Amino acid sequence: MSHSSRDTAEGAGWGAAERGAYEHLMPAEVQKISWLDPRMLWAARNGVLASWFGDPTGRTRARWVAQRAALGTPPDKLVRRDDPDRFSFMVIGDTGEGDAPQYSVVPGFLKVSEGTSFAVLASDVIYPVGSADDYDTKFFRPYQDYQAPIYAIPGNHDWYEDLGAFMRVFCDDAPPLGPEPAPRPFSRARLRSLLWHRPRPRDGEHLDAARKLRSSPAQQAVQPGPYWAVDAGPVRIIGIDTGLLGTLDAEQGAWLREISQGPRPKILVTGSPLYVDGEHHPCPIDGGGTVDDIVRDPAHRYVAAIGGDIHNYQRYPVDVDGRTVQYVVAGGGGAFMHATHTIPHVGVANVTEDDFRCYPLRGDSLAFYSRLYGRRLRLRRFFALTEDEATAVIAERLRIRPGRAPAGAPRITWRIRLVASLLGTARRPDRKARFRLPVRKIYTQLFSPSSATYSPPFFKCFLRLDVTPDSVRLRCHAATGNLAQELDPPIEDEVTIPLT
């Protein structure tokens, strides 16, 4: 078994490592996605419009669900598989940028996924706006050699074109929705409609050709809609659609309460993680209640809740009335890496730093971003931190044990402390910042990089879950873009979840 980032710096992908062989899988031309590009931000404007002028996601989703029901989809939206009591499946989230970080995951994913029954893609299948013609290089091509079905839940980016492409690909080539009634003149809905981003007129004309890349019978899966449930072996896996703004409409909430009944152990997959970055986000349901209320209800027997959207790995083992529910963030499947060094000292829901796990380690995250911004700002000598320096300043600021012991004993200078502050590094809970500038919020929301701007290590990840009648073993595997981790993807975290 190869070393992980918790063992050595080389296991994290640092050093003069040989690059992986994933580049031969990539298309000749790669679309470069930069969230600092005003044109990209304008194309992805629907989320902002929904927050300003009202979110139409629930109404549009209801129209999609009604269309599927008219075509014979059962109201429980339940897929009944014939998997045995012992089987395995994969989870990978936030994949679809179509560039080197996404493709660097593929060789390791294929190796680790051998013998699995299916995969679940958790959030943001296609960046930047979920266009149909992007499915070729961002879904069908990278996963063409995975010889099992793939189910998916949409993320906010898949909703930027009203989910039309997602429904065509995953829901039995669903036909487009008809036009909605025109909103009232001078209303907020009218202004939103005038500014709303919509698909290109000929978007999807290449989709039939792209489907041929995953056309074998073993690869086919038809899911009932944007939210669904799968009974597989002894467990029920439930996928929910949190739309543009991370909420559930009342109709989906009622369905979730109903499908959560019964004694079968359950795993939730959601586009909005319920615990993330040291905070609790219970996910409101229109009309009252939250998704986490449903997960925490002991009668529903949830054992895990896995969310995408945030592009790294985090795990919070939360005690709920004497039983442990594993809350997992698993959005590291391809899109740019969200920083972990901005996660504060963990103390939420009685989860401590000793219980919490994340990938990349905070020190590796800080070292990565310091080098990235050293290059971007042409201030490498000032900004760039070694992995040992970054690990040491993280331990000092948060008062935590290093996730990996430094190779030496670096001296923490004023420059190292200043760089850590400038890059949004969290502080220990008993220290107050001298100046209350929203550095962390600005850094994480505005200055996260395009994945097209950096080279290995990429710090990507995916999950394998092995199910038995008594337990689920969840393992987080890393993909760095280097050959060593490609040939033997290291295990960055592992937990066994009891089902009985």
Side-chain angles (χ1 to χ4, degrees):
M1 181 181 295
S2 63
H3 286 159
S4 75
S5 67
R6 294 180 175 273
D7 300 318
T8 65
E10 292 75 16
W14 298 115
E18 183 179 356
R19 199 161 184 149
Y22 60 87
E23 290 181 322
H24 78 278
L25 303 172
M26 297 173 60
E29 294 185 7
V30 175
Q31 177 193 22
K32 292 185 177 181
I33 293 178
S34 173
W35 298 110
L36 302 179
D37 184 343
R39 295 170 298 177
M40 196 71 67
L41 294 174
W42 176 245
R45 62 189 179 271
N46 286 359
V48 175
L49 295 176
S51 65
W52 287 354
F53 303 115
D55 184 2
T57 301
R59 185 172 62 252
T60 305
R61 184 188 296 117
R63 296 176 67 210
W64 282 119
V65 170
Q67 181 205 78
R68 303 309 301 159
L71 294 172
T73 296
D76 61 7
K77 301 170 184 61
L78 179 62
V79 177
R80 294 172 174 84
R81 294 179 52 87
D82 59 358
D83 299 292
D85 284 347
R86 297 176 183 271
F87 77 99
S88 302
F89 69 101
M90 306 294 290
V91 176
I92 184 169
D94 297 82
T95 53
E97 286 198 345
D99 50 13
Q102 178 178 6
Y103 279 86
S104 73
V105 178
V106 173
F109 177 86
L110 293 176
K111 185 178 183 66
V112 172
S113 67
E114 291 178 2
T116 58
S117 298
F118 57 89
V120 176
L121 212 165
S123 180
D124 290 340
V125 182
I126 301 295
Y127 294 93
V129 293
S131 300
D133 281 337
D134 284 343
Y135 272 83
D136 180 355
T137 58
K138 300 177 182 181
F139 175 72
F140 288 108
R141 181 181 295 271
Y143 310 118
Q144 61 183 312
D145 292 326
Y146 179 63
Q147 296 299 317
I150 297 177
Y151 303 96
I153 58 166
N156 58 310
H157 288 268
D158 301 304
W159 268 101
Y160 286 161
E161 291 189 349
D162 294 328
L163 210 65
F166 180 96
M167 296 296 292
R168 288 183 63 181
V169 170
F170 293 104
C171 299
D172 200 22
D173 208 13
L177 295 174
E180 282 193 282
R184 296 192 312 272
F186 310 111
S187 64
R188 296 171 67 206
R190 175 62 175 166
L191 182 55
R192 182 188 65 218
S193 178
L194 291 173
L195 296 172
W196 200 251
H197 170 82
R198 292 178 174 82
R200 300 185 305 272
R202 301 182 64 183
D203 184 48
E205 61 184 2
H206 305 298
L207 193 54
D208 287 341
R211 291 180 194 274
K212 295 177 182 177
L213 295 171
R214 279 187 53 85
S215 59
S216 74
Q219 294 174 313
Q220 303 314 300
V222 175
Q223 62 188 56
Y227 56 93
W228 43 262
V230 171
D231 278 354
V235 299
R236 174 169 291 175
I237 302 155
I238 298 174
I240 60 172
D241 170 17
T242 55
L244 284 171
L245 301 182
T247 63
L248 263 62
D249 61 279
E251 180 183 355
Q252 184 180 182
W255 168 85
L256 179 60
R257 292 184 178 96
E258 181 65 28
I259 202 69
S260 298
Q261 302 294 325
R264 187 187 288 261
K266 298 170 186 73
I267 298 170
L268 182 74
V269 183
T270 169
S272 298
L274 303 180
Y275 283 86
V276 60
D277 293 346
E279 298 174 349
H280 183 211
H281 297 269
C283 188
I285 299 172
D286 290 351
T290 69
V291 169
D292 201 31
D293 291 340
I294 298 171
V295 170
R296 296 172 72 91
D297 188 329
H300 296 158
R301 296 201 64 198
Y302 278 92
V303 298
I306 302 171
D309 189 53
I310 301 301
H311 308 163
N312 53 45
Y313 173 82
Q314 302 173 45
R315 181 170 63 82
Y316 301 82
V318 176
D319 180 84
V320 180
D321 298 326
R323 62 193 177 92
T324 300
V325 178
Q326 299 290 341
Y327 290 87
V328 176
V329 179
F336 71 85
M337 184 194 84
H338 277 132
T340 58
H341 64 270
T342 58
I343 300 173
H345 191 284
V346 172
V348 60
N350 293 319
V351 177
T352 68
E353 277 289 335
D354 289 338
D355 305 319
F356 170 70
R357 294 290 183 272
C358 70
Y359 175 79
L361 297 175
R362 290 180 175 103
D364 288 330
S365 170
L366 177 59
F368 169 85
Y369 272 91
S370 74
R371 298 176 193 193
L372 172 69
Y373 280 93
R375 292 194 302 270
R376 176 170 289 174
L377 301 176
R378 298 183 180 180
L379 293 170
R380 295 190 188 191
R381 292 186 64 182
F382 175 76
F383 259 99
L385 304 180
T386 69
E387 51 269 27
D388 284 347
E389 289 171 337
T391 296
V393 75
I394 288 285
E396 177 190 76
R397 287 175 70 94
L398 290 178
R399 280 188 178 172
I400 60 174
R401 292 193 300 271
R404 177 182 66 245
R411 186 170 65 91
I412 305 174
T413 65
W414 69 268
R415 179 189 70 88
I416 294 172
R417 293 188 178 100
L418 178 59
V419 169
S421 295
L422 290 173
L423 293 181
T425 305
R427 302 181 70 87
R428 60 184 183 254
D430 60 336
R431 287 288 301 274
K432 303 295 184 182
R434 183 173 298 176
F435 301 106
R436 290 185 175 274
L437 294 175
V439 173
R440 178 171 174 260
K441 183 175 181 181
I442 293 173
Y443 170 77
T444 56
Q445 294 186 4
L446 181 61
F447 293 111
S448 290
S450 159
S451 58
T453 61
Y454 55 82
S455 55
F458 294 131
F459 297 110
K460 302 290 96 186
C461 59
F462 53 90
L463 310 182
R464 175 173 171 136
L465 291 89
D466 300 306
V467 180
T468 73
D470 301 319
S471 66
V472 176
R473 181 177 66 169
L474 182 153
R475 289 178 292 173
C476 172
H477 289 267
T480 67
N482 292 330
L483 185 62
Q485 290 81 33
E486 189 176 281
L487 295 175
D488 189 7
I491 298 172
E492 291 292 338
D493 186 34
E494 179 173 354
V495 62
T496 298
I497 306 168
L499 297 183
T500 56

